[in-house]
Amino acid sequence: MNQYSLSDAMTDKGNFTVPKLPDSNMGFGVLGVFLGLLLEVSTHGPHAVPRTSWRHQDLDLMEFSEPGIFNYSTLLLSEERDALYVGAREAIFELSKKNVTVRNNKVEWTVEERPMRMCMLKGKSKERDCLNYIRVLQVLDNEQLYVCGTHAFQPKCDHLNLADFTLEGRAADGRGKCSFDPSQSFTTVMVDGELYSGTAYNFLGSEPIISRYSPYQSLLRTEYSTSWLNEPSFVFADVIREGRNQADGEDDKIYYFFTEVSVEYEFFGKLLIPRVARVCKGDLGGQRTLQKKWTSFLKAKLVCSMPELNFVFNVVHDVFILKGTEWKDTVIYGAFTSQWGNVGLSAVCAYNLSAVEDVFSKGKYMQKATVEQSHTKWVRYNGITPSPRPGACINNLMRQQNISSSLHLPDKTLQFVKDHPLLEDPVLPIGNGPRLITKDVNYTQIVVERVQALDKNIYDVIFTGTDKGVLHKSVVFDGEVHIVEEIQLLKDSEPIKNLLLSSETQSLYAGSDSGVVQAATAFCGKHPSCGDCVLARDPYCAWDPRAAACVSIRAASSQHLGRLIQSLKGDADKCPSVPNPPRKDYQRVTVIPGSSVELPCLAHSNLAQVTWKSNGSVLTEASRFHFLGESGLLIYSVAPEDQGHYECWSVEWAPAAGKNFTRLLAGYVLTLDLPPVPPQRTGPVATTTQETSSAHAAEGNGKALRAPLTSAIAPPTFTATVHLTSPPQTDSSLTPPPSSPSRFQPKHHLPPSASAPHPDSQDPAAEYLQHNNSAALLFLFLLFFLLFLAALAYNCYMQYLPAPCLRMRASLLGSHKSAPHPEYHACEGAETTTAAAATDKINMSEQPTRNGSQTSQNHRVLRDTGYETEPECGNGRIPSHSFEDYSQCQEKPFDVDCESQSIQFADADEPC
Ligand SMILES: *[C@@H]1O[C@H](CO)[C@@H](O)[C@H](O)[C@H]1NC(C)=O
Ligand SMILES: *[C@@H]1O[C@H](CO)[C@@H](O)[C@H](O)[C@H]1NC(C)=O
Ligand SMILES: *[C@@H]1O[C@H](CO)[C@@H](O)[C@H](O)[C@H]1NC(C)=O
Ligand SMILES: *[C@@H]1O[C@H](CO)[C@@H](O)[C@H](O)[C@H]1NC(C)=O
Ligand SMILES: *[C@@H]1O[C@H](CO)[C@@H](O)[C@H](O)[C@H]1NC(C)=O
Ligand SMILES: *[C@@H]1O[C@H](CO)[C@@H](O)[C@H](O)[C@H]1NC(C)=O
């Protein structure tokens, strides 16, 4: 495996192997990230664009919040009681699952005077920390919920009686069940009345623990040791029931997902690693060794990377377990980003539960070993493992050996699992790569629903929530990703903290700091035409020709299913053909000569390209014609020869169908109104006249420039596009359409002076973006090539590269010994290199360009790569950490022996 761009070249050392570290490979790690990103952006980019963008106000979303109450981050759906329970700050709500605006019950749970004072004495803030954040809501039985809150940094748990919605008031210690700190990540799951949690056990949040609280048996927990848990950030836990009725008598297992600081890779600073860990439900702890500790705790690395681009998604934010009818059909979905957050990429990886099980039941263990006198490394254990296999659940085979519970496990097995909780083999994603990669978003939440489409195939529809309150809905078709739509779920740009899905109500529920939002899983009715309905490729939706509407296939009765049109390939030719309206029905627009006019045309899709035709021939952008991205056409200073027919066509490429679909979106007849000579005016004033009204537009009102869209074309096709025209879009969190930075900004297009028509200063850049992409890319490529050369030279200088380079270096420099703090210098060296590169870059981009647009273009793309904000510092070092780690490293007892450089590159990461 060449994951994490750390080559695992193994060197035999007795019965274990030393994963040798990154030499040359690593030198290009960070560069690889940037080059990879560039490739990503240029090749994968278009696929990851959501087809449709819905703003918050476009949709009927149901919202709930109460004044003065915040942090609605804990959600629980109850199938029995038809309710959504919400844990917020100092309050618990019962909402109707069908409509979250309906509040059925509420109970407050505040912090008393004394704990509040204690909390403040310990230096916590009264308004922020010393409150009761409800963070655990779990179903105990039909009558009760188990609830826990942070309770001013003294977590407490209680029972919530559902009959009268009151707390029973027997508050118990919540330590280990709920976090102390309301902002610290943690997870819980209730399994058969026993609470499994992953959280911190102390006030400082420094003692991580995975534990089980049971009314029937004693508490079980993890060892307090960095080899078990090393600064974990828990995201999810759930049970997979394998059932004892199986032939092998396997136990049910609880899986935990978290990101922690790696122990097995040495890195410049803290390298985060996503993990899956599991414990067995029947675990009772050991008899002598591991008393009241898990005997079945094992963990492994989750891999989510683009190996071909050397790019790693190493932070898991949320996990959804899609359970099949058989446990083997279970698929685990994870939402990932990279530790290098400003790269701006998110990914979804899927894992086969069988693959996870295989790693736990057959994988090699890792062990801590001291090499080179004082240095500790994690290496593969190649010796003989004790029997029964350490960490295995009790199964029939063990029962035959008279081991009927973990209490009977031999000490040898227990001692081994205590020292070797980490497996070497990684869990690889299905298809060895991400299902979905998106740029410029940070995914925070994920849920997945399995949907049967009309073609009888099953599709996994992935819903991902972002840190900006946006929801993405994606489907993977034969390895090709399609983002059906993005939805501005939250009014404000804030993170989606929790996301649940109910197949029964066909709704998604999102919790955030400001409230709870309920959204339908599909907005079929929003697709105005058959073409849109089919090109959306939404497995939930199909076109009903008789009703002339896009409908949800679940809402359709079974006898109507046959007539519905759905093509998940996006083959809009399946639609009944609609004749284009005759030209005489086009909307008439009459303007005064010399004024400007905007002809609106809204493409419903971010994937469509809009072309304008006048008098039947394609219009190219000239000084007078200006394309407003996908919102319309602006004609400056209309002259008599501009009169005629104008048509707005959308061309949408459906890759799966291998076809372009061309549709007429709007048609206009432009005529000049030769007016009785108007009184002298300072500038031309646009007038938009319809057949029915001849009102002159008010001066200074940009909106009056737009010809109304409503009556553009008769068929129902365009009725629903109207809502998009209304207020100009201001949401920056929704994906801007690929080629239209100037969408929805009619206000900017004030008519220029008639004598010297010129587009406003922003727009040539947009034009440039559209037409000169390849030149920009070439330019970028050259830039990166220069950077690459700089990095090569630098790495060669720093002796990170193989022999030929070293020889060259030796001949150039003679063979100097490196300074006592080579890495520290390395960092400095890198910074100068970067600075030099940056100077180059500035010089290059400041070269005179035709109209200045190139400069802004370059800056734009550079900013996108994150290059400018992340100075490269040596070999993949995280620059912001380097100083901090420098000091940390001095405190660590076993770190680096700088003089002995025999595992030269392995040690190179720990500055000392
Ligand atoms: C709770 O909500 C408030 C208001 O939105 C926010 O400022 C704060 O960070 C939230 N606290 C936590 C712990 O999420
Ligand atoms: C998971 O792996 C098992 C065994 O290799 C295989 O039978 C099953 O089809 C796989 N499931 C998925 C969803 O890929
Ligand atoms: C298991 O225990 C039974 C009775 O206690 C004994 O007869 C049998 O030999 C034991 N088997 C093993 C494999 O130890
Ligand atoms: C993603 O999160 C990182 C770290 O929190 C932040 O720096 C970055 O700006 C975010 N990116 C986007 C596109 O929101
Ligand atoms: C369209 O055709 C009309 C009449 O045939 C002509 O007067 C006009 O100039 C043409 N307009 C354009 C933009 O080509
Ligand atoms: C589809 O349309 C696009 C844009 O108009 C064009 O570049 C492309 O060549 C067309 N592809 C096919 C197969 O017609």
Side-chain angles (χ1 to χ4, degrees), residues 5 24-40 306-312 343 345 784 788 791 872 876:
S5 71
S24 54
N25 250 353
M26 180 121 182
F28 300 111
V30 165
L31 198 61
V33 167
F34 293 126
L35 286 178
L37 183 71
L38 186 63
L39 273 176
E40 208 311 287
M306 295 184 281
E308 71 283 7
L309 299 180
N310 213 356
F311 190 85
V312 185
V343 166
L345 291 177
F784 273 92
F788 171 80
E872 184 184 348

PDB file of all heavy atoms in Angstrom, residues 5 24-40 306-312 343 345 784 788 791 872 876:
ATOM      1  N   SER A   5       1.155   8.714   1.024  1.00  0.00           N
ATOM      2  CA  SER A   5       2.367   9.039   0.318  1.00  0.00           C
ATOM      3  C   SER A   5       3.598   8.702   1.134  1.00  0.00           C
ATOM      4  O   SER A   5       4.649   9.261   0.974  1.00  0.00           O
ATOM      5  CB  SER A   5       2.389  10.519  -0.077  1.00  0.00           C
ATOM      6  OG  SER A   5       2.561  11.312   1.060  1.00  0.00           O
ATOM      7  N   SER A  24      12.436   9.976  -1.156  1.00  0.00           N
ATOM      8  CA  SER A  24      12.128  10.874  -2.267  1.00  0.00           C
ATOM      9  C   SER A  24      10.623  11.068  -2.443  1.00  0.00           C
ATOM     10  O   SER A  24      10.156  12.160  -2.694  1.00  0.00           O
ATOM     11  CB  SER A  24      12.721  10.305  -3.536  1.00  0.00           C
ATOM     12  OG  SER A  24      12.272   8.998  -3.720  1.00  0.00           O
ATOM     13  N   ASN A  25       9.896   9.991  -2.247  1.00  0.00           N
ATOM     14  CA  ASN A  25       8.456  10.056  -2.447  1.00  0.00           C
ATOM     15  C   ASN A  25       7.841  11.226  -1.730  1.00  0.00           C
ATOM     16  O   ASN A  25       6.995  11.922  -2.237  1.00  0.00           O
ATOM     17  CB  ASN A  25       7.829   8.812  -1.835  1.00  0.00           C
ATOM     18  CG  ASN A  25       7.319   7.919  -2.907  1.00  0.00           C
ATOM     19  OD1 ASN A  25       7.340   8.319  -4.058  1.00  0.00           O
ATOM     20  ND2 ASN A  25       6.890   6.743  -2.560  1.00  0.00           N
ATOM     21  N   MET A  26       8.301  11.323  -0.490  1.00  0.00           N
ATOM     22  CA  MET A  26       7.666  12.271   0.371  1.00  0.00           C
ATOM     23  C   MET A  26       8.019  13.693  -0.021  1.00  0.00           C
ATOM     24  O   MET A  26       7.247  14.609   0.176  1.00  0.00           O
ATOM     25  CB  MET A  26       8.190  11.986   1.747  1.00  0.00           C
ATOM     26  CG  MET A  26       7.601  12.914   2.686  1.00  0.00           C
ATOM     27  SD  MET A  26       6.748  12.034   3.875  1.00  0.00           S
ATOM     28  CE  MET A  26       6.178  13.475   4.721  1.00  0.00           C
ATOM     29  N   GLY A  27       9.235  13.815  -0.577  1.00  0.00           N
ATOM     30  CA  GLY A  27       9.666  15.135  -1.000  1.00  0.00           C
ATOM     31  C   GLY A  27       8.640  15.797  -1.896  1.00  0.00           C
ATOM     32  O   GLY A  27       8.524  17.003  -1.926  1.00  0.00           O
ATOM     33  N   PHE A  28       7.872  14.971  -2.578  1.00  0.00           N
ATOM     34  CA  PHE A  28       6.911  15.537  -3.517  1.00  0.00           C
ATOM     35  C   PHE A  28       5.497  15.467  -2.994  1.00  0.00           C
ATOM     36  O   PHE A  28       4.569  15.752  -3.712  1.00  0.00           O
ATOM     37  CB  PHE A  28       7.019  14.817  -4.851  1.00  0.00           C
ATOM     38  CG  PHE A  28       8.390  14.959  -5.433  1.00  0.00           C
ATOM     39  CD1 PHE A  28       9.229  13.879  -5.528  1.00  0.00           C
ATOM     40  CD2 PHE A  28       8.839  16.212  -5.813  1.00  0.00           C
ATOM     41  CE1 PHE A  28      10.494  14.037  -6.043  1.00  0.00           C
ATOM     42  CE2 PHE A  28      10.107  16.361  -6.321  1.00  0.00           C
ATOM     43  CZ  PHE A  28      10.941  15.261  -6.434  1.00  0.00           C
ATOM     44  N   GLY A  29       5.410  15.062  -1.712  1.00  0.00           N
ATOM     45  CA  GLY A  29       4.075  14.906  -1.151  1.00  0.00           C
ATOM     46  C   GLY A  29       3.229  16.144  -1.337  1.00  0.00           C
ATOM     47  O   GLY A  29       2.161  16.097  -1.939  1.00  0.00           O
ATOM     48  N   VAL A  30       3.752  17.245  -0.847  1.00  0.00           N
ATOM     49  CA  VAL A  30       2.962  18.461  -0.880  1.00  0.00           C
ATOM     50  C   VAL A  30       2.813  18.954  -2.309  1.00  0.00           C
ATOM     51  O   VAL A  30       1.744  19.352  -2.748  1.00  0.00           O
ATOM     52  CB  VAL A  30       3.600  19.528   0.017  1.00  0.00           C
ATOM     53  CG1 VAL A  30       3.011  20.879  -0.282  1.00  0.00           C
ATOM     54  CG2 VAL A  30       3.378  19.157   1.456  1.00  0.00           C
ATOM     55  N   LEU A  31       3.893  18.851  -3.036  1.00  0.00           N
ATOM     56  CA  LEU A  31       3.832  19.248  -4.432  1.00  0.00           C
ATOM     57  C   LEU A  31       2.778  18.403  -5.141  1.00  0.00           C
ATOM     58  O   LEU A  31       1.974  18.906  -5.914  1.00  0.00           O
ATOM     59  CB  LEU A  31       5.204  19.043  -5.066  1.00  0.00           C
ATOM     60  CG  LEU A  31       5.386  19.802  -6.353  1.00  0.00           C
ATOM     61  CD1 LEU A  31       5.247  21.294  -6.110  1.00  0.00           C
ATOM     62  CD2 LEU A  31       6.746  19.481  -6.923  1.00  0.00           C
ATOM     63  N   GLY A  32       2.813  17.100  -4.790  1.00  0.00           N
ATOM     64  CA  GLY A  32       1.833  16.184  -5.360  1.00  0.00           C
ATOM     65  C   GLY A  32       0.431  16.663  -5.069  1.00  0.00           C
ATOM     66  O   GLY A  32      -0.446  16.622  -5.914  1.00  0.00           O
ATOM     67  N   VAL A  33       0.255  17.161  -3.854  1.00  0.00           N
ATOM     68  CA  VAL A  33      -1.054  17.660  -3.482  1.00  0.00           C
ATOM     69  C   VAL A  33      -1.473  18.778  -4.419  1.00  0.00           C
ATOM     70  O   VAL A  33      -2.575  18.813  -4.932  1.00  0.00           O
ATOM     71  CB  VAL A  33      -1.048  18.154  -2.020  1.00  0.00           C
ATOM     72  CG1 VAL A  33      -2.288  18.958  -1.726  1.00  0.00           C
ATOM     73  CG2 VAL A  33      -0.930  16.985  -1.070  1.00  0.00           C
ATOM     74  N   PHE A  34      -0.546  19.680  -4.684  1.00  0.00           N
ATOM     75  CA  PHE A  34      -0.918  20.832  -5.506  1.00  0.00           C
ATOM     76  C   PHE A  34      -1.097  20.452  -6.966  1.00  0.00           C
ATOM     77  O   PHE A  34      -2.041  20.869  -7.604  1.00  0.00           O
ATOM     78  CB  PHE A  34       0.121  21.935  -5.368  1.00  0.00           C
ATOM     79  CG  PHE A  34       0.113  22.510  -3.988  1.00  0.00           C
ATOM     80  CD1 PHE A  34       1.254  22.570  -3.240  1.00  0.00           C
ATOM     81  CD2 PHE A  34      -1.075  22.963  -3.443  1.00  0.00           C
ATOM     82  CE1 PHE A  34       1.219  23.081  -1.966  1.00  0.00           C
ATOM     83  CE2 PHE A  34      -1.114  23.474  -2.164  1.00  0.00           C
ATOM     84  CZ  PHE A  34       0.049  23.538  -1.417  1.00  0.00           C
ATOM     85  N   LEU A  35      -0.159  19.642  -7.451  1.00  0.00           N
ATOM     86  CA  LEU A  35      -0.305  19.218  -8.839  1.00  0.00           C
ATOM     87  C   LEU A  35      -1.577  18.404  -8.979  1.00  0.00           C
ATOM     88  O   LEU A  35      -2.345  18.574  -9.907  1.00  0.00           O
ATOM     89  CB  LEU A  35       0.911  18.400  -9.264  1.00  0.00           C
ATOM     90  CG  LEU A  35       2.167  19.229  -9.490  1.00  0.00           C
ATOM     91  CD1 LEU A  35       3.321  18.323  -9.859  1.00  0.00           C
ATOM     92  CD2 LEU A  35       1.932  20.261 -10.573  1.00  0.00           C
ATOM     93  N   GLY A  36      -1.770  17.531  -7.960  1.00  0.00           N
ATOM     94  CA  GLY A  36      -2.965  16.698  -7.953  1.00  0.00           C
ATOM     95  C   GLY A  36      -4.200  17.558  -7.991  1.00  0.00           C
ATOM     96  O   GLY A  36      -5.143  17.313  -8.725  1.00  0.00           O
ATOM     97  N   LEU A  37      -4.149  18.615  -7.225  1.00  0.00           N
ATOM     98  CA  LEU A  37      -5.297  19.494  -7.143  1.00  0.00           C
ATOM     99  C   LEU A  37      -5.565  20.142  -8.494  1.00  0.00           C
ATOM    100  O   LEU A  37      -6.692  20.239  -8.951  1.00  0.00           O
ATOM    101  CB  LEU A  37      -5.031  20.558  -6.099  1.00  0.00           C
ATOM    102  CG  LEU A  37      -6.220  21.463  -5.916  1.00  0.00           C
ATOM    103  CD1 LEU A  37      -7.323  20.714  -5.226  1.00  0.00           C
ATOM    104  CD2 LEU A  37      -5.825  22.680  -5.164  1.00  0.00           C
ATOM    105  N   LEU A  38      -4.492  20.543  -9.127  1.00  0.00           N
ATOM    106  CA  LEU A  38      -4.637  21.191 -10.422  1.00  0.00           C
ATOM    107  C   LEU A  38      -5.302  20.221 -11.397  1.00  0.00           C
ATOM    108  O   LEU A  38      -6.235  20.573 -12.110  1.00  0.00           O
ATOM    109  CB  LEU A  38      -3.261  21.603 -10.934  1.00  0.00           C
ATOM    110  CG  LEU A  38      -3.282  22.417 -12.199  1.00  0.00           C
ATOM    111  CD1 LEU A  38      -3.998  23.721 -11.957  1.00  0.00           C
ATOM    112  CD2 LEU A  38      -1.867  22.663 -12.668  1.00  0.00           C
ATOM    113  N   LEU A  39      -4.804  18.987 -11.355  1.00  0.00           N
ATOM    114  CA  LEU A  39      -5.388  17.971 -12.218  1.00  0.00           C
ATOM    115  C   LEU A  39      -6.849  17.782 -11.874  1.00  0.00           C
ATOM    116  O   LEU A  39      -7.711  17.715 -12.737  1.00  0.00           O
ATOM    117  CB  LEU A  39      -4.662  16.643 -12.000  1.00  0.00           C
ATOM    118  CG  LEU A  39      -3.427  16.432 -12.836  1.00  0.00           C
ATOM    119  CD1 LEU A  39      -2.763  15.141 -12.436  1.00  0.00           C
ATOM    120  CD2 LEU A  39      -3.814  16.398 -14.297  1.00  0.00           C
ATOM    121  N   GLU A  40      -7.075  17.664 -10.564  1.00  0.00           N
ATOM    122  CA  GLU A  40      -8.420  17.485 -10.036  1.00  0.00           C
ATOM    123  C   GLU A  40      -9.331  18.556 -10.610  1.00  0.00           C
ATOM    124  O   GLU A  40     -10.375  18.288 -11.169  1.00  0.00           O
ATOM    125  CB  GLU A  40      -8.315  17.662  -8.528  1.00  0.00           C
ATOM    126  CG  GLU A  40      -9.304  16.952  -7.651  1.00  0.00           C
ATOM    127  CD  GLU A  40     -10.735  17.086  -8.012  1.00  0.00           C
ATOM    128  OE1 GLU A  40     -11.255  18.170  -7.782  1.00  0.00           O
ATOM    129  OE2 GLU A  40     -11.330  16.133  -8.474  1.00  0.00           O
ATOM    130  N   MET A 306      -6.881   9.391  -3.283  1.00  0.00           N
ATOM    131  CA  MET A 306      -6.772   9.260  -4.730  1.00  0.00           C
ATOM    132  C   MET A 306      -5.344   8.839  -4.987  1.00  0.00           C
ATOM    133  O   MET A 306      -4.471   9.697  -5.097  1.00  0.00           O
ATOM    134  CB  MET A 306      -7.041  10.601  -5.409  1.00  0.00           C
ATOM    135  CG  MET A 306      -8.433  11.112  -5.238  1.00  0.00           C
ATOM    136  SD  MET A 306      -8.676  12.632  -6.182  1.00  0.00           S
ATOM    137  CE  MET A 306      -7.912  13.837  -5.144  1.00  0.00           C
ATOM    138  N   PRO A 307      -5.083   7.548  -5.012  1.00  0.00           N
ATOM    139  CA  PRO A 307      -3.692   7.103  -5.094  1.00  0.00           C
ATOM    140  C   PRO A 307      -2.990   7.668  -6.321  1.00  0.00           C
ATOM    141  O   PRO A 307      -1.823   8.023  -6.269  1.00  0.00           O
ATOM    142  CB  PRO A 307      -3.791   5.585  -5.169  1.00  0.00           C
ATOM    143  CG  PRO A 307      -5.206   5.239  -4.920  1.00  0.00           C
ATOM    144  CD  PRO A 307      -6.038   6.463  -5.049  1.00  0.00           C
ATOM    145  N   GLU A 308      -3.737   7.774  -7.425  1.00  0.00           N
ATOM    146  CA  GLU A 308      -3.100   8.215  -8.658  1.00  0.00           C
ATOM    147  C   GLU A 308      -2.655   9.668  -8.556  1.00  0.00           C
ATOM    148  O   GLU A 308      -1.744  10.096  -9.240  1.00  0.00           O
ATOM    149  CB  GLU A 308      -4.021   7.968  -9.853  1.00  0.00           C
ATOM    150  CG  GLU A 308      -5.256   8.856  -9.970  1.00  0.00           C
ATOM    151  CD  GLU A 308      -6.405   8.473  -9.030  1.00  0.00           C
ATOM    152  OE1 GLU A 308      -6.214   7.587  -8.159  1.00  0.00           O
ATOM    153  OE2 GLU A 308      -7.481   9.081  -9.143  1.00  0.00           O
ATOM    154  N   LEU A 309      -3.284  10.424  -7.669  1.00  0.00           N
ATOM    155  CA  LEU A 309      -2.902  11.825  -7.530  1.00  0.00           C
ATOM    156  C   LEU A 309      -2.129  12.048  -6.236  1.00  0.00           C
ATOM    157  O   LEU A 309      -1.802  13.185  -5.900  1.00  0.00           O
ATOM    158  CB  LEU A 309      -4.141  12.725  -7.540  1.00  0.00           C
ATOM    159  CG  LEU A 309      -4.988  12.687  -8.800  1.00  0.00           C
ATOM    160  CD1 LEU A 309      -6.166  13.630  -8.665  1.00  0.00           C
ATOM    161  CD2 LEU A 309      -4.149  13.082 -10.013  1.00  0.00           C
ATOM    162  N   ASN A 310      -1.906  10.968  -5.488  1.00  0.00           N
ATOM    163  CA  ASN A 310      -1.131  11.098  -4.267  1.00  0.00           C
ATOM    164  C   ASN A 310      -1.831  12.021  -3.274  1.00  0.00           C
ATOM    165  O   ASN A 310      -1.200  12.769  -2.549  1.00  0.00           O
ATOM    166  CB  ASN A 310       0.240  11.674  -4.608  1.00  0.00           C
ATOM    167  CG  ASN A 310       1.285  11.120  -3.685  1.00  0.00           C
ATOM    168  OD1 ASN A 310       0.955  10.375  -2.768  1.00  0.00           O
ATOM    169  ND2 ASN A 310       2.523  11.480  -3.910  1.00  0.00           N
ATOM    170  N   PHE A 311      -3.137  11.994  -3.270  1.00  0.00           N
ATOM    171  CA  PHE A 311      -3.868  12.900  -2.383  1.00  0.00           C
ATOM    172  C   PHE A 311      -4.679  12.089  -1.372  1.00  0.00           C
ATOM    173  O   PHE A 311      -5.379  11.151  -1.735  1.00  0.00           O
ATOM    174  CB  PHE A 311      -4.804  13.796  -3.201  1.00  0.00           C
ATOM    175  CG  PHE A 311      -5.392  14.893  -2.381  1.00  0.00           C
ATOM    176  CD1 PHE A 311      -4.696  16.078  -2.200  1.00  0.00           C
ATOM    177  CD2 PHE A 311      -6.604  14.729  -1.746  1.00  0.00           C
ATOM    178  CE1 PHE A 311      -5.225  17.083  -1.417  1.00  0.00           C
ATOM    179  CE2 PHE A 311      -7.134  15.732  -0.963  1.00  0.00           C
ATOM    180  CZ  PHE A 311      -6.442  16.916  -0.798  1.00  0.00           C
ATOM    181  N   VAL A 312      -4.564  12.478  -0.107  1.00  0.00           N
ATOM    182  CA  VAL A 312      -5.173  11.714   0.971  1.00  0.00           C
ATOM    183  C   VAL A 312      -6.257  12.522   1.672  1.00  0.00           C
ATOM    184  O   VAL A 312      -6.047  13.678   2.016  1.00  0.00           O
ATOM    185  CB  VAL A 312      -4.106  11.334   2.013  1.00  0.00           C
ATOM    186  CG1 VAL A 312      -4.711  10.441   3.075  1.00  0.00           C
ATOM    187  CG2 VAL A 312      -2.940  10.671   1.349  1.00  0.00           C
ATOM    188  N   VAL A 343      -7.214  23.260   1.097  1.00  0.00           N
ATOM    189  CA  VAL A 343      -7.229  22.700  -0.249  1.00  0.00           C
ATOM    190  C   VAL A 343      -8.672  22.668  -0.765  1.00  0.00           C
ATOM    191  O   VAL A 343      -8.917  22.751  -1.953  1.00  0.00           O
ATOM    192  CB  VAL A 343      -6.591  21.300  -0.237  1.00  0.00           C
ATOM    193  CG1 VAL A 343      -6.879  20.554  -1.509  1.00  0.00           C
ATOM    194  CG2 VAL A 343      -5.099  21.422  -0.022  1.00  0.00           C
ATOM    195  N   LEU A 345     -11.172  20.346  -0.676  1.00  0.00           N
ATOM    196  CA  LEU A 345     -11.770  19.170  -1.305  1.00  0.00           C
ATOM    197  C   LEU A 345     -12.435  18.312  -0.237  1.00  0.00           C
ATOM    198  O   LEU A 345     -11.930  18.174   0.865  1.00  0.00           O
ATOM    199  CB  LEU A 345     -10.701  18.321  -2.003  1.00  0.00           C
ATOM    200  CG  LEU A 345     -10.037  18.895  -3.243  1.00  0.00           C
ATOM    201  CD1 LEU A 345      -8.964  17.955  -3.739  1.00  0.00           C
ATOM    202  CD2 LEU A 345     -11.071  19.126  -4.324  1.00  0.00           C
ATOM    203  N   PHE A 784       3.476  25.796 -12.317  1.00  0.00           N
ATOM    204  CA  PHE A 784       3.717  24.670 -11.429  1.00  0.00           C
ATOM    205  C   PHE A 784       4.971  23.912 -11.822  1.00  0.00           C
ATOM    206  O   PHE A 784       5.662  23.353 -10.994  1.00  0.00           O
ATOM    207  CB  PHE A 784       2.489  23.747 -11.409  1.00  0.00           C
ATOM    208  CG  PHE A 784       1.491  24.183 -10.391  1.00  0.00           C
ATOM    209  CD1 PHE A 784       0.470  25.049 -10.728  1.00  0.00           C
ATOM    210  CD2 PHE A 784       1.603  23.770  -9.072  1.00  0.00           C
ATOM    211  CE1 PHE A 784      -0.423  25.478  -9.789  1.00  0.00           C
ATOM    212  CE2 PHE A 784       0.712  24.190  -8.118  1.00  0.00           C
ATOM    213  CZ  PHE A 784      -0.296  25.038  -8.474  1.00  0.00           C
ATOM    214  N   PHE A 788       7.846  23.036  -9.442  1.00  0.00           N
ATOM    215  CA  PHE A 788       8.326  21.663  -9.358  1.00  0.00           C
ATOM    216  C   PHE A 788       9.840  21.642  -9.458  1.00  0.00           C
ATOM    217  O   PHE A 788      10.527  20.992  -8.685  1.00  0.00           O
ATOM    218  CB  PHE A 788       7.670  20.872 -10.497  1.00  0.00           C
ATOM    219  CG  PHE A 788       8.228  19.489 -10.672  1.00  0.00           C
ATOM    220  CD1 PHE A 788       7.825  18.464  -9.842  1.00  0.00           C
ATOM    221  CD2 PHE A 788       9.156  19.230 -11.672  1.00  0.00           C
ATOM    222  CE1 PHE A 788       8.335  17.200  -9.999  1.00  0.00           C
ATOM    223  CE2 PHE A 788       9.659  17.964 -11.836  1.00  0.00           C
ATOM    224  CZ  PHE A 788       9.258  16.940 -10.985  1.00  0.00           C
ATOM    225  N   ALA A 791      11.296  22.813  -6.321  1.00  0.00           N
ATOM    226  CA  ALA A 791      11.206  21.789  -5.283  1.00  0.00           C
ATOM    227  C   ALA A 791      12.230  20.701  -5.528  1.00  0.00           C
ATOM    228  O   ALA A 791      12.856  20.171  -4.603  1.00  0.00           O
ATOM    229  CB  ALA A 791       9.812  21.199  -5.252  1.00  0.00           C
ATOM    230  N   GLU A 872       4.903  26.173   1.340  1.00  0.00           N
ATOM    231  CA  GLU A 872       5.451  24.833   1.425  1.00  0.00           C
ATOM    232  C   GLU A 872       6.650  24.865   2.352  1.00  0.00           C
ATOM    233  O   GLU A 872       7.486  25.739   2.278  1.00  0.00           O
ATOM    234  CB  GLU A 872       5.877  24.394   0.035  1.00  0.00           C
ATOM    235  CG  GLU A 872       6.360  22.994  -0.005  1.00  0.00           C
ATOM    236  CD  GLU A 872       6.848  22.650  -1.387  1.00  0.00           C
ATOM    237  OE1 GLU A 872       6.585  23.438  -2.302  1.00  0.00           O
ATOM    238  OE2 GLU A 872       7.473  21.611  -1.531  1.00  0.00           O
ATOM    239  N   GLY A 876       6.445  18.113   2.845  1.00  0.00           N
ATOM    240  CA  GLY A 876       5.096  17.812   3.284  1.00  0.00           C
ATOM    241  C   GLY A 876       4.845  18.260   4.701  1.00  0.00           C
ATOM    242  O   GLY A 876       3.868  17.883   5.322  1.00  0.00           O
TER     243      GLY A 876
END
